[in-house]
Amino acid sequence: MGVAADWVLERILAATGKLQEVPTVFGHHQSVEHAGILLALPALISQGLLQASEVYQSLKKGYYGLDHILLLLAFMALLRIRNPEQLKTCKPGELGRIMGLDRVPEVKCLREKLSEIVAQNKAEDFERHLSKQWIEQQACLYFYIDGHVRIYYGGQATLQKKYVSRQKLCLAGTTEYWVNDQNGNPLMFFIGDLNERLKDAIEQHIIPALIEDTKNIAPGEDSTQPRFTIIFDREGYEPAFFAKLWEDHRVAVITYRKNIKDKWDKTDFKSVETQVNDAKVIMQLCEKPVQLGKASFREIRKLGTGDHQTSIITTHPTLEQAIIAPQMFSRWTQENFFKYLIAEFDFDKMVNYGIEIPDQNKVVVNPAYSKLYQQRKKLIEKRRRLEAQLLEAMENNIDQSMNETKKWLQKQAVLKEKIEELQVQIYQKENDLRLTPSKIKLADMPEEMRYNRLKKESKMFMNIIKMIAYRAETALFNLIKPFYNNQEKDGRQIIQTILSSSANLQPDYDNNILHVTVHSQATPRANNALKHLCEELNQTEIDYPLTKLKLVFKSLVP
């Protein structure tokens, strides 16, 4: 039957198709490894983990049901078990006791269940269901948008290349566009087909989704206030696009201004008290109207050290500059979110392999045109270097003696000849560029070079699980903030340690209670945080899923 497979009758019934899913039954157990993870259950439920049953159909008859798989995946994320294969290094019986089972599924079984979920193609529906709920709960009207490139190192897919800032290289990959709130909590995401630009992702996908999700909390149609405000970096900079968002959708923009050539007088700046996240900050700010193209904007500049001026523009008509600047600078919470998920949740891991064929009528940059353009660019750079050498040779020749002049004239002649040869090649490349279309349909590309894409459904589903896990961890982190002085430094690490702690499980079926007693932590301050965390979570009065057992938490150290 396998290691820790103790429920023989239930497994026989499941194998013969007579069991929809195994019932959840807890036993009395002492010192169960990782049982502290049950502290995360109220947060996971509040973030909508089990609402997947409202979107997904039940799995086919078997031992493990949909809720079992969802809970296991969320527990794995919070325990830093990064993929199903790493379950081989864990004790299946210990994890099973945490879930009211004899053991958790083995790798093959878990992957089969994942495939069954993914085959329903409901990840986008689930994501939209959760994002609307989160936005309405938070009454969120400020959204941070940024792209994240998931680098592809394989050879099966043919993907477009894009500049990856963290690697400082152009690499093949898939771009995911994420929407977060001011604190860095994820709200929604969109996976591009062919490395769409940030502007295209905002206009075609994110804005329609946000309009739908904020319709119950946004100002009325006749209001002069924006529906909501989006904040992003210079990648999406295009003033005409910002004006269009306001005119068509009444959506305001806050972003950095590019190509600044002037400096404002330092005497124009005034000290303004602002708040960036939880910290109060004094900034030197100044605001002036600015005309960019045919549109008018508000420009706010911050005077920094060394007289550096950081420029921000916005289409928001009434928001105070003391709020605009902190909103823009809070964009780093989203960068920190990406960094944390990559380090802790194996964010860029491929869930399954395989490729899909995108819409063949999609128009992309012609690779042949890009290659010619780069070749021309390199020739121009080479010509400029030779021209610089020629200028230097001509200047050196001015004060030389008659004997030296001949040598310098010969050098100038060689350089001129090389420049003329390069100019001929540049003219040829320019002619080739004129004959080559800059953009092309996928269907018109050579088959061996035609772009495809990685399978998206499984990645979208796992992204949702990790979003829920991250938001649940953040909720627990916020609960211990008042009781833990160094929360910004190592608060999340304390949460990770608590969740991976051992605990005693004592079900009381007469009173429908599951007592979870978490073992002592390494330090008094961690035990203090654990104590207050248990008190806060007990007020939620959450039942363990698929049972009537109310979870009651306490620390082994009084």
Side-chain angles (χ1 to χ4, degrees):
M1 297 290 289
V3 175
D6 301 327
W7 296 359
V8 178
L9 177 60
E10 289 81 356
R11 291 186 176 276
I12 292 174
L13 292 174
T16 55
K18 298 179 180 179
L19 185 69
Q20 180 62 47
E21 65 181 58
V22 67
T24 301
V25 180
F26 284 93
H28 292 264
H29 302 292
Q30 302 293 315
S31 301
V32 180
E33 289 186 16
H34 306 312
I37 193 64
L38 291 174
L39 288 163
L41 191 55
L44 290 170
I45 292 175
S46 70
Q47 296 302 326
L49 176 67
L50 300 183
Q51 292 178 24
S53 59
E54 301 175 20
V55 178
Y56 288 93
Q57 298 177 0
S58 300
L59 303 184
K60 63 183 180 182
K61 288 185 177 181
Y63 197 78
Y64 301 103
L66 177 61
D67 285 352
H68 294 140
I69 302 303
L70 293 168
L71 287 169
L72 176 58
L73 292 173
F75 288 166
M76 286 171 60
L78 291 171
L79 292 172
R80 305 313 192 252
I81 303 172
R82 302 190 173 209
N83 53 63
E85 282 67 32
Q86 286 192 359
L87 281 176
K88 295 177 181 178
T89 65
C90 303
K91 298 177 181 178
E94 293 288 283
L95 291 177
R97 290 172 179 176
I98 296 170
M99 299 180 62
L101 305 171
D102 57 343
R103 61 159 291 158
V104 294
E106 63 176 359
V107 175
K108 182 179 178 181
C109 177
L110 178 56
R111 285 210 170 272
E112 287 176 352
K113 294 293 183 179
L114 272 173
S115 298
E116 191 177 342
I117 294 172
V118 168
Q120 297 185 35
N121 293 314
K122 295 290 185 66
E124 185 175 353
D125 295 339
F126 189 26
E127 185 256 358
R128 299 293 305 114
H129 174 81
L130 292 176
S131 67
K132 183 176 177 63
Q133 175 180 294
W134 291 335
I135 289 171
E136 290 185 349
Q137 286 176 351
Q138 298 175 221
C140 184
L141 292 175
Y142 293 92
F143 302 100
Y144 293 77
I145 305 173
D146 199 7
H148 171 75
V149 180
R150 180 164 58 112
I151 303 171
Y152 178 68
Y153 296 102
Q156 186 175 4
T158 304
L159 306 179
Q160 288 178 293
K161 290 186 177 181
K162 187 163 184 176
Y163 181 74
V164 184
S165 57
R166 62 185 183 275
Q167 300 280 1
K168 293 182 170 56
L169 292 169
C170 284
L171 300 170
T174 299
T175 305
E176 299 179 2
Y177 293 100
W178 285 75
V179 180
N180 296 59
D181 65 15
Q182 186 175 355
N183 297 316
N185 291 317
L187 297 170
M188 67 173 66
F189 65 92
F190 159 71
I191 299 180
D193 289 335
L194 297 164
N195 281 342
E196 290 82 350
R197 295 187 304 162
L198 177 60
K199 171 184 171 293
D200 297 329
I202 290 174
E203 188 172 23
Q204 298 172 14
H205 300 278
I206 295 174
I207 291 296
L210 288 178
I211 289 175
E212 175 64 25
D213 291 350
T214 59
K215 65 182 181 181
N216 294 331
I217 58 175
E221 290 293 333
D222 296 331
S223 174
T224 57
Q225 297 299 309
R227 294 174 182 269
F228 52 84
T229 303
I230 57 176
I231 303 155
F232 47 86
D233 62 11
R234 294 177 181 87
E235 183 185 353
Y237 184 82
E238 189 176 319
F241 170 58
F242 305 157
K244 184 175 184 292
L245 287 180
W246 180 262
E247 292 170 2
D248 294 352
H249 306 293
R250 219 174 77 249
V251 172
V253 168
I254 300 176
T255 188
Y256 293 113
R257 182 184 171 186
K258 291 174 67 174
N259 305 321
I260 304 169
K261 297 179 181 178
D262 65 322
K263 279 200 172 184
W264 292 355
D265 194 314
K266 289 194 293 184
T267 59
D268 294 340
F269 292 84
K270 295 181 180 180
S271 295
V272 179
E273 183 178 356
T274 64
Q275 186 165 334
V276 180
N277 295 332
D278 296 330
K280 289 186 177 181
V281 180
I282 302 295
M283 295 183 183
Q284 298 292 321
L285 299 177
C286 179
E287 178 180 342
K288 295 181 181 181
V290 62
Q291 188 79 16
L292 300 175
K294 297 180 180 180
S296 299
F297 298 89
R298 297 169 61 196
E299 181 175 3
I300 296 91
R301 291 195 187 181
K302 173 183 174 292
L303 182 64
T305 56
D307 295 336
H308 176 72
Q309 297 181 7
T310 303
S311 176
I312 302 167
I313 61 170
T314 181
T315 54
H316 198 298
T318 59
L319 196 64
E320 297 179 3
Q321 61 177 352
I323 299 177
I324 292 172
Q327 289 283 0
M328 187 71 247
F329 298 136
S330 295
R331 198 188 66 80
W332 285 104
T333 59
Q334 192 173 34
E335 299 287 352
N336 294 335
F337 163 76
F338 290 138
K339 181 179 179 181
Y340 189 79
L341 255 68
I342 291 171
E344 299 290 336
F345 288 88
D346 210 15
F347 185 41
D348 290 336
K349 179 73 175 180
M350 290 186 65
V351 182
N352 64 357
Y353 298 95
I355 60 173
E356 297 174 337
I357 305 301
D359 182 3
Q360 295 298 288
N361 290 321
K362 276 186 174 289
V363 177
V364 297
V365 175
N366 189 349
Y369 184 90
S370 297
K371 186 177 180 180
L372 288 170
Y373 184 86
Q374 290 300 323
Q375 290 173 349
R376 172 180 169 273
K377 183 179 178 181
K378 289 181 179 179
L379 289 171
I380 291 175
E381 290 172 353
K382 189 174 181 180
R383 184 192 64 186
R384 287 174 178 169
R385 288 195 296 269
L386 291 175
E387 288 173 343
Q389 294 176 26
L390 177 61
L391 180 61
E392 181 182 9
M394 293 171 67
E395 290 176 347
N396 289 336
N397 191 31
I398 295 174
D399 299 326
Q400 299 297 326
S401 64
M402 294 296 294
N403 293 332
E404 293 292 326
T405 298
K406 184 177 180 180
K407 181 182 73 174
W408 284 105
L409 288 173
Q410 290 175 347
K411 184 174 182 179
Q412 291 176 42
V414 172
L415 289 171
K416 288 180 179 179
E417 185 179 351
K418 290 182 178 179
I419 290 171
E420 290 173 358
E421 291 176 358
L422 285 174
Q423 189 60 52
V424 171
Q425 296 179 43
I426 291 170
Y427 286 149
Q428 182 60 48
K429 295 298 180 185
E430 289 175 346
N431 185 56
D432 292 341
L433 281 170
R434 283 192 291 270
L435 298 175
T436 305
S438 60
K439 293 188 177 181
I440 189 173
K441 289 184 178 181
L442 286 180
D444 296 332
M445 292 179 65
E447 188 171 351
E448 66 277 6
M449 297 175 59
R450 193 174 300 163
Y451 296 133
N452 46 37
R453 70 185 183 198
L454 300 173
K455 288 186 175 180
K456 295 200 301 184
E457 185 69 18
S458 56
K459 183 63 167 64
M460 289 181 66
F461 177 73
M462 291 307 300
N463 275 0
I464 296 169
I465 298 297
K466 290 171 183 178
M467 287 169 69
I468 294 171
Y470 178 86
R471 291 178 64 92
E473 185 179 284
T474 301
L476 297 177
F477 168 63
N478 290 334
L479 287 178
I480 69 167
K481 272 188 175 183
F483 314 109
Y484 199 81
N485 293 332
N486 294 331
Q487 83 279 29
E488 292 301 331
K489 180 181 178 182
D490 54 7
R492 285 188 178 273
Q493 183 60 51
I494 288 297
I495 292 297
Q496 291 180 35
T497 303
I498 290 174
L499 295 182
S500 61
S501 301
S502 298
N504 302 334
L505 303 180
Q506 297 172 303
D508 180 355
Y509 280 97
D510 293 333
N511 297 304
N512 287 329
I513 295 174
L514 176 60
H515 294 280
V516 181
T517 306
V518 185
H519 288 192
S520 174
Q521 303 302 297
T523 62
R525 60 182 180 176
N527 278 321
N528 183 53
L530 172 60
K531 176 184 175 182
H532 288 287
L533 186 61
C534 291
E535 292 173 355
E536 293 288 335
L537 293 175
N538 285 337
Q539 295 179 21
T540 62
E541 297 187 346
I542 291 291
D543 291 346
Y544 191 92
L546 306 175
T547 74
K548 296 181 180 179
L549 298 176
K550 183 176 71 174
L551 289 165
V552 176
F553 303 101
K554 69 176 181 178
S555 171
L556 194 60
V557 177

